[in-house]
């Protein structure tokens, strides 16, 4: 069974388009995260939601809008895609009050042309 | 801002040898540390963690050492196997801050036969 899943796995699109990435976890966790990994493998947090409430919002352009319909899902919508948005986006989750360990999804590879 | 780790270096070891991967962190307030392994095309996978009140923790074939005096972490892998080839990241957390992981830039481990 997949613990943290993301769709799509690959996303190739043109500049200026709007796209969404979806994340679901079946671990019963209540906190979810989005990370961006650049071409040099550097991982940086973007957002975090706890029980559908935004708790971390790093300095991310407002073209990026996360949405959490329930605590098992955290989606990421990106408006007006730019070349610099090309990266691998990872979703992660953890159980608040439990171990600090975050469990990561397989990633979504976004390429903006 | 705070930074963890060095530019992505590569460590090449022979199968069967021990590997030591190092990481420097800069936030003295960090009280929890995690090592993650990222294989090609996959998301980061938890290996081992350590709290700041410990200086050593052992797992199966892996040991993490923490030196708070010089803000240094290391991951030791015994009897390195080809399946250990991956990029390894250290990550630090200041607990109580929504568990925001700050990642280092990673070390690529190449296991030669």
């Amino acid at each position: 069974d997949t613990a943290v899943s993301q769709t799509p796995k690959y996303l190739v699109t043109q500049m200026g388009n709007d796209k969404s990435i979806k994340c679901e976890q079946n671990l019963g966790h209540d906190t979810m995260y989005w990370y961006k990994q650049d071409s040099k493998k550097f991982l940086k947090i973007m957002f975090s939601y706890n029980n559908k409430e935004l708790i971390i919002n790093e300095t991310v352009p407002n073209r990026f809008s996360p949405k959490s319909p329930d605590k098992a899902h955290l989606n990421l919508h990106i408006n007006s895609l730019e070349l610099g948005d090309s990266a691998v986006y990872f979703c992660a989750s953890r159980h608040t009050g439990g171990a600090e360990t975050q469990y990561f999804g397989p990633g979504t590879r976004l390429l903006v042309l | 801002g705070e930074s963890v780790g060095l530019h992505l270096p590569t460590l090449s070891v022979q199968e069967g040898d021990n590997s030591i991967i190092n990481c420097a962190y800069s936030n003295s307030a960090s009280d929890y540390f995690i090592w993650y392994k990222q294989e090609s095309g996959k998301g980061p996978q938890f290996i081992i963690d350590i709290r700041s009140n410990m200086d050593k923790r052992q797992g199966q074939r892996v040991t993490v050492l923490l030196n708070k005096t010089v803000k240094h972490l290391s991951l030791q892998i015994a009897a390195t196997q080809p399946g250990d080839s991956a990029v390894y990241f250290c990550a630090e957390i200041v607990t109580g801050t929504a568990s925001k992981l700050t990642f280092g830039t990673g070390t690529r481990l190449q296991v030669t036969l």
Side-chain angles (χ1 to χ4, degrees), chain B residues 23-33 50-57 64-74 92-93:
Chain B
C23 175
Y25 66 94
S26 59
N27 188 353
S28 55
S30 294
D31 56 355
Y32 189 87
F33 304 87
I50 189 167
R51 294 197 176 276
S52 59
N53 60 356
M54 303 170 69
D55 52 23
K56 181 179 180 179
R57 190 159 189 228
V64 55
L65 299 178
L66 173 63
N67 185 330
K68 294 183 290 294
T69 303
V70 294
K71 294 201 283 288
H72 183 268
L73 272 168
S74 68
E92 61 178 324
I93 301 171

Side-chain angles (χ1 to χ4, degrees), chain A residues 33 37 90 94 100 102 109, chain B residues 32 36 38 41 43 89 98-99:
Chain A
Y33 304 81
Q37 186 172 47
F90 287 100
R94 71 178 278 265
E100 299 289 343
Q102 296 179 21
R109 285 139 191 86
Chain B
Y32 189 87
Y36 280 93
Q38 186 178 21
F89 294 94
S99 286

Side-chain angles (χ1 to χ4, degrees), chain B residues 4-81:
Chain B
V4 178
L6 308 171
H7 293 293
L8 184 65
T10 297
L11 176 65
S12 188
V13 299
Q14 267 199 315
E15 182 180 5
D17 288 351
N18 296 334
S19 304
I20 300 176
I21 300 170
N22 295 305
C23 175
Y25 66 94
S26 59
N27 188 353
S28 55
S30 294
D31 56 355
Y32 189 87
F33 304 87
I34 305 175
W35 279 100
Y36 280 93
K37 171 186 180 184
Q38 186 178 21
E39 296 176 277
S40 180
K42 296 184 179 180
Q45 178 186 8
F46 170 85
I47 302 173
I48 192 167
D49 58 2
I50 189 167
R51 294 197 176 276
S52 59
N53 60 356
M54 303 170 69
D55 52 23
K56 181 179 180 179
R57 190 159 189 228
Q58 286 184 293
Q60 189 178 13
R61 282 200 309 119
V62 294
T63 300
V64 55
L65 299 178
L66 173 63
N67 185 330
K68 294 183 290 294
T69 303
V70 294
K71 294 201 283 288
H72 183 268
L73 272 168
S74 68
L75 176 70
Q76 300 176 0
I77 305 174
T80 312
Q81 302 169 359

Side-chain angles (χ1 to χ4, degrees), chain A residues 31-35 44-60 64-67 74 76 92 94 96 100 102, chain B residues 92-102:
Chain A
T31 303
M32 297 183 71
Y33 304 81
W34 277 111
Y35 288 84
K44 185 167 169 53
I45 190 166
M46 301 172 69
F47 300 104
S48 177
Y49 270 74
N50 174 258
N51 279 322
K52 303 192 295 177
E53 186 177 333
L54 183 66
I55 56 172
I56 295 175
N57 185 349
E58 292 293 285
T59 50
V60 178
F64 290 78
S65 52
K67 281 189 173 53
L74 181 60
L76 184 63
R94 71 178 278 265
T96 308
E100 299 289 343
Q102 296 179 21
Chain B
E92 61 178 324
I93 301 171
V94 178
T95 56
T97 55
S99 286
K100 185 172 75 171
L101 284 176
T102 300

Side-chain angles (χ1 to χ4, degrees), chain A residues 4-8 19-25 31-35 46-49 52 54 56 63-79 89-92 108:
Chain A
V4 182
S5 59
Q6 295 178 228
T7 53
K19 291 293 179 185
S20 290
I21 306 171
K22 296 186 176 183
C23 177
E24 176 182 3
Q25 53 90 9
T31 303
M32 297 183 71
Y33 304 81
W34 277 111
Y35 288 84
M46 301 172 69
F47 300 104
S48 177
Y49 270 74
K52 303 192 295 177
L54 183 66
I56 295 175
R63 296 183 295 103
F64 290 78
S65 52
K67 281 189 173 53
S68 182
D70 55 62
K71 66 180 185 179
H73 295 84
L74 181 60
N75 303 323
L76 184 63
H77 187 76
I78 315 171
N79 288 326
Y89 292 85
F90 287 100
C91 177
T108 295

